[in-house]
């Protein structure tokens, strides 16, 4: 069985991202997702992939 590929990959600059599926009739409820240690996360609703932009480093929170 082959894993599904994300529908879209979106470069981001923050550790937390919001996804609403693009809004409109094809959207979904707004969810907030946190990037994993590899700097990426996939939306469980629409499979959009969010990936930390190349060269961006995240500060360590408290």
């Amino acid at each position: 069985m082959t894993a599904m590929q994300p529908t879209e990959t979106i470069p981001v600059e923050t550790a937390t991202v919001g996804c609403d599926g693009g809004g409109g009739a094809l959207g979904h409820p707004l969810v907030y997702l946190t990037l994993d240690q590899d700097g990426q996360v996939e939306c469980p609703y629409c499979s959009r992939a969010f990936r930390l932009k190349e060269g961006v480093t995240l500060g360590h929170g408290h």
Side-chain angles (χ1 to χ4, degrees), residues 24-50:
L26 300 177
H28 59 69
L30 176 63
V31 292
Y32 291 95
L33 309 166
T34 303
L35 301 181
D36 63 17
Q37 291 180 340
D38 294 329
Q40 54 192 5
V41 66
E42 186 174 308
C43 177
Y45 283 100
C46 66
S47 298
R48 280 181 164 179
F50 295 87

Side-chain angles (χ1 to χ4, degrees), residues 13 15 52 56-62:
E13 296 182 3
L52 192 62
V56 174
T57 55
L58 300 175
H60 297 288
H62 352 338

